Amino acid sequence: MNKYAMIHKLEGHNNDVVSCEFSPDGALLATASYDTRVIVWDPYTATVLLDLGHLFPPPSPIFAGGANDRWVRSVSFSHDGLHIASIADDKKVRFWRIDCSCPVEVAHLSNGLCCAFSTDGRVLAAGTRDGSIFFWDTPRNVSSLQHLCRMSIRRLMSTNQVKKLPIPVKILEYLTYQIF
């Protein structure tokens, strides 16, 4: 292929999608939207695996774009593929685990616009509307052997290819992020 071609379209947000990032193994896609949510997708099957809300209870679709001060501006995957950071207009940075729909930590940040993990995953940097950049130390975790194997396999195989492997169902579910 010598040109870019659209493969497919993901639908599920109720307002503008303003940030997206693939997991390090390419098996997941996190998207941030003004509908107050971060959605973690399997981009190969267009399946929603996790819906991370920044407003409780979540707004109905008709109100998802209103002035609710919860617009999500940015999302970033950590290098280990186990953590996600998001920045919203509610003056908070949220740190999530991909196996939990509640933030594991919340930090204050006024006027946040974007965020990115360092390549070693030890630091999260966040840029703001006033030209400042803030840094947070992140927890140091040793990934399980199970997770490292999943990351290695998913770097090489799409969800559809993994589903064709002659392996037990529980391992298949784990490799396709159906169970974390």
Side-chain angles (χ1 to χ4, degrees), residues 5-61:
M6 187 169 81
I7 299 168
H8 62 265
K9 177 181 172 182
L10 300 176
E11 295 183 280
H13 282 290
N14 298 315
N15 205 323
D16 299 347
V17 175
V18 294
S19 179
C20 56
E21 184 169 336
F22 280 98
S23 61
D25 63 3
L28 304 174
L29 177 71
T31 57
S33 171
Y34 288 167
D35 68 4
T36 75
R37 300 179 302 152
V38 168
I39 295 179
V40 179
W41 308 81
D42 179 325
Y44 299 100
T45 63
T47 304
V48 173
L49 299 174
L50 200 55
D51 194 332
L52 308 173
H54 290 67
L55 182 64
F56 301 99
S60 65

Side-chain angles (χ1 to χ4, degrees), residues 149-168:
C149 289
R150 175 171 56 186
M151 295 268 297
S152 296
I153 290 170
R154 291 313 304 267
R155 278 191 174 100
L156 302 172
M157 301 177 84
S158 71
T159 301
N160 296 328
Q161 292 170 318
V162 170
K163 286 181 176 181
K164 293 177 185 174
L165 294 174
I167 56 177

